């Protein structure tokens, strides 16, 4: 496969992954910025909800594609290379935290130490937003007030909305 040849250099991402990240950044930022428009779902005419919803579905599609590519794509793009789920990688996270406390910058590869933990948090956060947002897009009844499980999902989506700026600052 041509993509795998391009990723022969260690640590270099393939073109597909770069495009997925760029798409996620563009659609994600626009969806985040239009989030307040979605409050018009209670009205019969709800253009803000529609715009925000379609942008959110674009983010959900990119997340689904990236998750699939991160599990089955070329070795350089797989999550198994950097997600800190092994004791060795968790040790690197702690080492990075201690380096920060002692005001030392780590000499590291991309996605190592705290960076890998933060990237994992971002991936989980955006997947969470895509899942809860998609649920609301398909099950929230426009023109009516949210209730029951849909209202709970809306609350969970709003928690994620509050965490996005935290992630971006980190």
């Amino acid at each position: 496969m041509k993509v795998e040849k391009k990723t022969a250099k260690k640590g270099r991402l393939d073109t597909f992954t770069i495009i997925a990240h760029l798409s996620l950044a563009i659609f994600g930022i626009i969806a985040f910025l239009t989030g307040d428009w979605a409050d018009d779902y209670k009205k019969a005419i709800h253009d803000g909800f529609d715009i925000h919803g379609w942008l959110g579905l674009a983010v959900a599609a990119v997340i689904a594609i990236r998750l699939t590519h991160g599990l089955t794509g070329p070795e350089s793009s797989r999550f198994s290379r950097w997600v800190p789920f092994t004791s060795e990688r968790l040790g690197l996270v702690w080492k990075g935290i201690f380096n920060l406390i002692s005001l030392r910058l780590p000499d590291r590869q991309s996605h190592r130490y705290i960076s890998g933990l933060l990237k994992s948090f971002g991936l989980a956060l955006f997947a969470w937003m895509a899942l809860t947002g998609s649920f609301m897009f398909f099950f929230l009844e426009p023109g009516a007030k949210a209730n029951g499980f849909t209202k709970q999902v809306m609350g969970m989506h709003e928690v994620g909305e509050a965490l996005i700026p935290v992630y971006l600052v980190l």
Side-chain angles (χ1 to χ4, degrees):
M1 192 181 216
K2 288 184 180 181
V3 172
E4 291 176 350
K5 288 181 182 177
K6 288 184 178 181
T7 60
K9 291 183 181 179
K10 190 174 182 179
R12 184 168 168 86
L13 294 176
D14 60 287
T15 305
F16 184 85
T17 302
I18 293 168
I19 291 170
H21 285 155
L22 184 60
S23 299
L24 181 59
I26 291 168
F27 288 121
I29 289 170
I30 297 171
F32 178 73
L33 293 175
T34 62
D36 288 339
W37 296 0
D39 285 340
D40 71 351
Y41 76 91
K42 299 171 196 150
K43 300 176 185 174
I45 298 174
H46 46 273
D47 294 333
F49 177 78
D50 288 340
I51 291 169
H52 177 70
W54 284 107
L55 287 165
L57 287 178
V59 171
V62 172
I63 287 286
I65 291 167
R66 179 61 183 113
L67 285 172
T68 302
H69 190 66
L71 296 171
T72 63
E75 184 66 29
S76 64
S77 298
R78 290 193 183 187
F79 301 133
S80 61
R81 291 192 60 198
W82 58 267
V83 174
F85 56 82
T86 65
S87 59
E88 177 189 355
R89 290 181 190 157
L90 285 173
L92 292 175
V93 169
W94 283 110
K95 183 177 178 182
I97 290 170
F98 292 130
N99 281 342
L100 279 178
I101 291 170
S102 62
L103 302 176
R104 286 182 286 166
L105 292 176
D107 180 27
R108 62 169 173 79
Q109 298 173 353
S110 178
H111 291 75
R112 299 285 187 229
Y113 297 93
I114 298 173
S115 176
L117 183 66
L118 291 176
K119 301 294 184 202
S120 299
F121 171 66
L123 185 64
L125 175 61
F126 287 109
W128 176 261
M129 293 299 288
L131 182 67
T132 57
S134 296
F135 178 88
M136 288 190 303
F137 184 83
F138 291 112
F139 295 105
L140 187 63
E141 186 179 332
K145 202 170 184 184
N147 53 37
F149 184 67
T150 304
K151 187 170 184 170
Q152 291 175 336
V153 171
M154 184 183 290
M156 292 185 280
H157 190 72
E158 289 172 359
V159 168
E161 182 182 359
L163 290 174
I164 288 175
V166 172
Y167 171 73
L168 293 175
V169 166
L170 292 174

